[in-house]
Amino acid sequence: MGCCASVQGAQEPEPDPTTPVNLDKAILVDQDFNSVVHNRLRRLQELDLETKVPFILIELTGEGHGEGEIEVTGKDEYGVYEAIENFLMGKWECEKLDAGDDTEDTKIPFCKAQYRWPGFAVGGEDGLNNLGKKTMEIIDFMCGTLSWTLAVVNGGNVGENRDVRETQLIFKAPHPMNLVAPHLMVELRSAGFIEICGDLEQEHGDILETLDVYFADRFAAARIDGHEDFCDRYYQAGEEVFKGASGSLESNFGLLCTNVCDQITQWEGWSLV
């Protein structure tokens, strides 16, 4: 979907009396609810026609080794859907799935385009996977090839057992400077590991050596080789660097993340997305 200032003359949507509220578990979609949702989607499409600035959301989901899914939604400007599909099916060997549409004889769509992704990989028992590396490949393609602007990166674990990995990427309208801007992602894991993935040209490669020094000092971290299929740098932090259980009041995870952001943004030319 695109975003812009409020549109003159836009009508306030009427409430849907059949919309379920206060649900704590999934329900079976009957024909009445299917009609309600599809009607709402058609109204949103009408509103979207009035918006000006294009945004694209790409969501990567890793469900298990060799089992992943990719969803794409947003405005189809500058042929971006065709370009993304060619990349996913050509480079990543994805299989296109039926995403549904705004007609009531299809499933309720959660996106505009949907793909089965066989390239998600998991290694070992400590949570190591290649989602960060693949995220940077998408960023490099969208920004470095198509010149779209990276706006938001978000991710986490979902599912009943918190073992499904997800990353959402939002890109906004293209700008030519994106063709030459490098990107770097640092992932801290409360299990005591640090991963770095980047789309760096040779002139920006020195930052990896600088981060080696920083993580050895601040995190007492040791670099571990042999993980190139998953990330560009892999470290194990020293004992007691990560404190407290994840999500607890005793956890220092937020502080450590802030320390990393503060350090990198002090270096010339780097900013936080």
Side-chain angles (χ1 to χ4, degrees), residues 63-245:
E63 300 170 354
H65 189 76
E67 291 292 335
E69 187 174 296
I70 299 173
E71 297 181 351
V72 184
T73 195
K75 272 187 174 295
D76 188 9
E77 298 283 352
Y78 314 109
V80 67
Y81 272 77
E82 181 180 1
I84 292 172
E85 181 164 306
N86 290 339
F87 175 84
L88 294 178
M89 298 180 69
K91 297 286 188 179
W92 285 13
E93 300 181 344
C94 293
E95 173 190 352
K96 190 169 187 178
L97 303 174
D98 178 17
D101 55 43
D102 59 4
T103 59
E104 294 183 22
D105 58 349
T106 70
K107 70 177 185 180
I108 295 175
F110 291 90
C111 56
K112 291 283 191 66
Q114 186 178 20
Y115 304 86
R116 178 174 288 113
W117 172 38
F120 179 67
V122 176
E125 301 295 330
D126 56 17
L128 179 65
N129 61 73
N130 69 342
L131 193 59
K133 192 174 184 69
K134 292 300 182 180
T135 295
M136 293 311 302
E137 288 184 19
I138 284 285
I139 292 173
D140 187 33
F141 172 70
M142 290 294 294
C143 301
T145 300
L146 302 184
S147 78
W148 283 67
T149 304
L150 179 63
V152 177
V153 180
N154 181 47
N157 293 340
V158 296
E160 185 175 356
N161 298 316
R162 311 291 292 176
D163 55 355
V164 177
R165 192 86 174 111
E166 283 190 351
T167 295
Q168 297 88 28
L169 304 165
I170 298 178
F171 301 90
K172 61 182 180 180
H175 189 284
M177 285 300 295
N178 295 318
L179 296 172
V180 295
H183 295 87
L184 184 77
M185 181 169 69
V186 178
E187 181 176 357
L188 305 183
R189 303 215 316 268
S190 57
F193 297 93
I194 305 165
E195 299 177 24
I196 300 177
C197 299
D199 63 330
L200 304 174
E201 300 296 336
Q202 185 174 0
E203 61 265 32
H204 303 116
D206 289 349
I207 191 173
L208 295 178
E209 282 64 42
T210 305
L211 284 169
D212 281 344
V213 176
Y214 169 72
F215 284 122
D217 179 49
R218 175 63 181 86
F219 287 75
R223 181 177 165 187
I224 305 175
D225 294 326
H227 294 78
E228 291 75 16
D229 290 339
F230 300 95
C231 55
D232 296 317
R233 288 284 198 277
Y234 190 69
Y235 308 87
Q236 182 168 10
E239 294 184 8
E240 301 300 320
V241 172
F242 290 87
K243 301 180 184 297

Side-chain angles (χ1 to χ4, degrees), residues 29-30 33-35 37-38 41 99-101 106-111:
V29 176
D30 57 23
F33 187 58
N34 181 70
S35 297
V37 173
H38 276 94
L41 289 172
D101 55 43
T106 70
K107 70 177 185 180
I108 295 175
F110 291 90
C111 56

Side-chain angles (χ1 to χ4, degrees), residues 10-19 36 39-40 43:
Q11 296 181 348
E12 289 292 330
E14 297 179 0
D16 292 314
T18 55
T19 300
V36 168
N39 181 57
R40 183 182 300 163
R43 285 186 285 166

Side-chain angles (χ1 to χ4, degrees), residues 1 22 38 52 65 79 123 195-196 227 259 262 268:
M1 305 294 287
N22 299 324
H38 276 94
K52 306 302 181 186
H65 189 76
E195 299 177 24
I196 300 177
H227 294 78
N259 289 161
D262 285 346
E268 184 178 0

